[in-house]
Amino acid sequence: MQRVWILTMSLGVAGCASWLGMGAPGSQAAEDFLARFDLEYRQKAIESNKAGWVQSTHITADTQWLAAKASERTLGYVSQAARDARAFIGVAVEPATARQLKLLQLSSGVPSDPALLAEFTQLGAKLEAMYGGGRYCPPGAVAGSADCLSLEKLEEIIKDSREPAQLLEAWLGWREVSPPMRADYQRFAELQNIGARELGYADAGGLWRAGYDMPADDFAAEVERLWSQVQPLYQALHCHVRAELGKQYGSALVAPDQPIPAHLLGNMWAQQWGNLYPRLTPYPGADDLDVSAALVKQGYDAQGMVKQAEGFYQSIGFPALPESFYRNSLLVQPRDREVVCHASAWDIDFAGDVRIKMCIEPNEDNLLTIYHELGHIYYDLAYNPLPTLFQGGAHDGFHEAVGDTMMLAMTPSYLQSVGLVGKTSRTRQALINQQMKMALDKVAFLPFGLLVDKWRWQVFSGAVSPQDYNAAWWALKRQYQGIAPPVPRPADAFDPGAKYHIPGNTPYMRYFLAHILQFQFYEAMCAAAGHEGDLHACSFAGSREAGDRLWAMLQSGQSQPWPDALQTLTGSRQMDAGALLQYFAPLSAWLDEQNQGRACGW
């Protein structure tokens, strides 16, 4: 995850008010306005970023307050600048200037009233701190004692246990953390709507959807088009997983024609199912790749794992990470304080102070996450020479896709080349195992990536009222994921708040788009590397040609519409799931065989 301020929790502008009331502004005035904004915004955003970093890595009431105040100043600055930029509507300016003015207007969605702005930033910091400090205290445990379980401990239970009662307790336990957030979140959403309407949008959802170089309604339709491409593959995977879980837990718990109970899928939010792979391996013993065991056996520590991932990026021609990266990043869980362990990448100063925040353990999941986070870091470094308004992904899905593209290139042959697996076979059984392992994460994630923001769009628009927050959440999970709560949920629950990106106010559609784009990026880089044969067998590690193609796209940041950026790398101007379907074609055929005679759907 990239830590971003635009549209989420920070940006800001005081000195721009002088641009108003100047008479008819011209193109030179627009250039001067943007130059002044770039200088002043950098100063304010660096303060916010540093305060936000300290809040996330030292969770206390004081750091929460300091981060909120820094964010308030920056948000206020950008909010004013976004409104001042409207003075240049209709002025003939250079295309790059026009794009910066447009992006500036899209970059703020907070109220202009100082009191409401202060309330907004305080609520944002409070919600994130409530999530980061959340604990489940079992019956009899004293609040604050070692008997209370962190999210990380509860996730271990969801991952490893096969006892339905234990899984249910852990699943319900984490959802005790979020109901106290509900009223604050309701107000937080109201404040975002106020800010969005000041900029001329119907609500905050409309503002978010406007950031994709197309009308908001067209973007919503584009998302549904992409989902229609991948839905049959997801439904086939769902059908098989449900049947296998039914064998393990019995039809009374996993009915053959009903949604899957959410607590049985190996993930706290049922968003990815990769933790089920040991139980769902199609061909046990057929060339299993135990990267986690290799990391432990070879004594990898947190920094060693990051160095290993950095080596991959350097092999395709990317530069070494700045020395300050290792000095400033948080790579392990401190023993003496609370931190937000949710992995994130940070660009502190738009000029090379890049960091990741993560509590690394020596396992495959964490190694993959590092590859992902370094994708954000290298995107930041590539576009750092640009004005701050252009320092972002072509759209936010691009930013999330880069690191995942590298993960696709971590083929068995690549892992063998770096000593993380032994000699691998290339049998069909081994291939189906590998594809199943990946699909349980990447294919299973697709509908979840879609529904989080669909829920938020409904909240922002008023289509879902606060009393229906939870019911609407589970209606979407049933519709898109085919997943249901393990027990009836009370009306006053706030299960959306149990997912970091809701209290953290991070738009989520980027992750759905990234899961489509990463396969397009991968296909293009494999072609640049001269790969021939099955797409899933390609690793472009070591290919400077592939790296050069990607770097050229990364350098443009957000300076051009995303279809132009996509064309730079792939030759296409349209997002498309064709490469994803091609990649998983062997598994898709296998799933069709397994599902013969089963009643799929829910």
Side-chain angles (χ1 to χ4, degrees):
M1 185 188 103
Q2 182 199 21
R3 174 65 176 192
V4 290
W5 294 109
I6 293 177
L7 289 181
T8 60
M9 266 286 305
S10 313
L11 288 184
V13 192
C16 292
S18 60
W19 291 104
L20 296 176
M22 292 175 48
S27 61
Q28 185 59 51
E31 298 284 354
D32 293 344
F33 169 78
L34 289 172
R36 180 174 176 179
F37 170 81
D38 192 73
L39 176 64
E40 295 181 349
Y41 169 64
R42 284 176 186 266
Q43 296 170 345
K44 295 178 183 298
I46 290 170
E47 178 189 10
S48 286
N49 289 337
K50 286 180 177 288
W53 176 266
V54 173
Q55 181 208 354
S56 290
T57 58
H58 298 74
I59 299 176
T60 69
D62 290 336
T63 60
Q64 178 182 330
W65 186 89
L66 291 169
K69 286 299 181 183
S71 177
E72 181 182 333
R73 287 189 289 272
T74 310
L75 279 164
Y77 179 78
V78 171
S79 178
Q80 182 62 55
R83 289 190 297 276
D84 290 350
R86 297 175 67 84
F88 299 102
I89 293 175
V91 175
V93 295
E94 293 295 321
T97 301
R99 184 161 181 82
Q100 287 189 74
L101 290 169
K102 175 187 175 182
L103 292 172
L104 177 54
Q105 292 181 60
L106 289 171
S107 68
S108 176
V110 299
S112 59
D113 179 88
L116 296 181
L117 176 59
E119 183 184 5
F120 175 82
T121 58
Q122 290 162 11
L123 283 174
K126 178 183 178 183
L127 285 165
E128 185 161 354
M130 289 173 73
Y131 187 94
R135 296 289 184 273
Y136 164 60
C137 298
V142 177
S145 72
D147 294 329
C148 295
L149 302 178
S150 67
L151 173 59
E152 290 71 33
K153 294 297 184 183
L154 293 168
E155 284 187 287
E156 290 178 11
I157 295 171
I158 294 290
K159 174 185 175 182
D160 297 329
S161 176
R162 301 191 183 192
E163 296 298 327
Q166 190 177 33
L167 291 168
L168 180 60
E169 182 183 8
W171 190 91
L172 290 172
W174 180 242
R175 280 153 185 81
E176 290 185 6
V177 171
S178 51
M181 303 176 187
R182 179 175 168 150
D184 287 335
Y185 183 80
Q186 177 185 343
R187 180 58 177 164
F188 194 60
E190 292 170 355
L191 293 170
Q192 289 188 78
N193 276 342
I194 291 171
R197 288 166 185 151
E198 289 181 358
L199 294 174
Y201 295 91
D203 55 58
L207 174 61
W208 288 18
R209 294 192 297 275
Y212 292 93
D213 295 305
M214 62 175 66
D217 289 345
D218 289 357
F219 175 68
E222 176 71 353
V223 166
E224 287 298 328
R225 181 187 67 81
L226 294 169
W227 169 241
S228 70
Q229 286 186 279
V230 297
Q231 185 179 18
L233 177 58
Y234 173 78
Q235 290 182 337
L237 180 66
H238 179 283
C239 187
H240 177 68
V241 169
R242 181 175 61 189
E244 293 300 307
L245 290 177
K247 294 177 184 176
Q248 296 174 24
Y249 290 108
S251 59
L253 186 56
V254 185
D257 58 351
Q258 294 296 314
I260 302 172
H263 65 316
L264 302 180
L265 287 160
N267 177 273
M268 182 61 78
W269 308 276
Q271 67 182 58
Q272 291 165 305
W273 308 343
N275 290 329
L276 295 181
Y277 176 73
R279 290 181 256 171
L280 300 179
T281 307
Y283 300 103
D287 206 23
D288 285 333
L289 307 179
D290 195 345
V291 175
S292 296
L295 291 169
V296 173
K297 182 177 180 180
Q298 296 176 36
Y300 271 88
D301 61 9
Q303 183 164 314
M305 291 169 67
V306 177
K307 288 283 188 182
Q308 198 281 331
E310 180 188 8
F312 180 94
Y313 285 87
Q314 288 184 279
S315 80
I316 61 173
F318 284 19
L321 292 169
E323 181 181 343
S324 61
F325 170 85
Y326 287 98
R327 184 172 63 251
N328 295 334
S329 291
L330 184 144
L331 303 180
V332 296
Q333 167 77 63
R335 295 183 179 182
D336 62 342
R337 63 185 189 272
E338 297 288 349
V339 303
V340 179
C341 277
H342 187 92
S344 56
W346 297 61
D347 184 359
I348 298 293
D349 66 353
F350 314 101
D353 184 357
V354 290
R355 313 173 185 181
I356 63 173
K357 172 187 61 60
M358 184 178 172
C359 302
I360 297 174
E361 298 287 344
N363 60 56
E364 181 179 9
D365 286 344
N366 277 211
L367 181 64
L368 293 173
T369 300
I370 294 167
Y371 271 73
H372 174 88
E373 298 303 334
L374 290 192
H376 291 306
I377 295 298
Y378 276 109
Y379 212 156
D380 293 336
L381 293 172
Y383 58 54
N384 271 164
L386 299 177
T388 53
L389 285 165
F390 287 157
Q391 291 200 34
H395 67 51
D396 53 11
F398 277 63
H399 231 300
E400 296 298 333
V402 174
D404 285 354
T405 302
M406 306 304 163
M407 290 160 54
L408 292 174
M410 295 170 69
T411 60
S413 60
Y414 166 75
L415 293 171
Q416 181 181 346
S417 73
V418 295
L420 289 176
V421 300
K423 186 176 180 180
T424 62
S425 65
R426 299 184 182 276
T427 65
R428 179 175 182 270
Q429 291 185 345
L431 171 61
I432 296 303
N433 278 358
Q434 294 155 14
Q435 291 221 319
M436 175 62 77
K437 186 175 185 179
M438 184 172 289
L440 288 169
D441 279 337
K442 293 189 177 294
V443 176
F445 177 82
L446 289 165
F448 185 83
L450 189 71
L451 70 86
V452 174
D453 276 355
K454 278 188 165 289
W455 178 83
R456 260 190 296 216
W457 295 348
Q458 293 176 357
V459 168
F460 289 140
S461 72
V464 169
S465 59
Q467 62 265 28
D468 294 326
Y469 277 174
N470 223 54
W473 175 258
W474 284 106
L476 286 169
K477 287 181 72 69
R478 181 185 183 100
Q479 176 185 348
Y480 285 99
Q481 285 188 287
I483 289 172
V487 293
R489 302 297 291 140
D492 61 351
F494 186 49
D495 294 339
K499 176 63 181 169
Y500 169 80
H501 298 73
I502 299 298
N505 201 39
T506 303
Y508 210 77
M509 194 60 69
R510 62 186 62 179
Y511 302 106
F512 171 77
L513 298 175
H515 277 66
I516 303 294
L517 284 169
Q518 64 188 255
F519 289 90
Q520 278 188 274
F521 293 178
Y522 174 70
E523 182 181 44
M525 293 182 72
C526 287
H531 174 75
E532 297 180 357
D534 294 328
L535 181 59
H536 57 75
C538 165
S539 179
F540 48 75
S543 172
R544 295 298 182 96
E545 294 80 3
D548 288 346
R549 287 279 293 275
L550 178 61
W551 191 260
M553 184 188 79
L554 301 185
Q555 284 183 306
S556 66
Q558 205 172 5
S559 65
Q560 56 187 351
W562 67 260
D564 295 339
L566 184 63
Q567 188 173 31
T568 298
L569 175 59
T570 70
S572 172
R573 298 180 61 81
Q574 184 179 50
M575 294 183 286
D576 186 79
L580 182 153
L581 299 176
Q582 180 186 348
Y583 184 95
F584 285 111
L587 179 66
S588 180
W590 183 86
L591 287 171
D592 288 344
E593 295 171 3
Q594 302 303 307
N595 289 332
Q596 289 292 322
R598 290 172 175 166
C600 296
W602 53 86

